[in-house]
Amino acid sequence: MRENEMIEKEDIFSKVLRAGRRTYFFDVRATKADDYYITITESKKFTEEDGSFHFKKHKIYLYKEDFAAFREILDEMVDFVLDQKGEEVISERHQKDFKRENYTETTDDEMKSSESFTNIDFDDI
């Protein structure tokens, strides 16, 4: 019975955020002294060439004494990003018609004839 009580206590409150290959788990847990803390777990799914997959997980433990400072810095960082770049997602992955500024595509012939590269003989190293 004692083991079941510990398992029940561990899952006090949870939320899940699925974001593409990533899943974020937000969990409220209890310390041995029965105080609460938060864990934030990022889980990424990786698929192997044979079709099998595995997950890599990273976890942050956040204790009550750090909540205020953590929230303040997180709010500041979020506000900065949104003020600077807005809420629109700007990336090649999210926008198929995305074009990088100052980006020009180079053809194979241009690469072969380019004199900007230096030939290196590995015997020189």
Side-chain angles (χ1 to χ4, degrees), residues 6-61:
M6 288 177 65
I7 292 172
E8 287 175 17
K9 273 184 143 181
E10 184 128 345
D11 294 328
I12 296 163
F13 182 66
S14 296
K15 291 277 189 171
V16 176
L17 171 62
R18 297 193 196 299
R21 284 186 7 209
R22 293 181 172 88
T23 303
Y24 299 96
F25 299 92
F26 299 85
D27 299 299
V28 174
R29 308 229 174 198
T31 65
K32 290 179 183 176
D34 202 32
D35 201 0
Y36 291 170
Y37 65 98
I38 296 171
T39 63
I40 303 170
T41 307
E42 176 198 41
S43 178
K44 280 196 228 177
K45 184 177 181 178
F46 292 90
T47 305
E48 304 294 337
E49 289 179 14
D50 65 0
S52 64
F53 58 90
H54 69 279
F55 295 92
K56 286 189 180 178
K57 295 182 181 183
H58 299 91
K59 188 174 284 205
I60 296 172
Y61 295 85

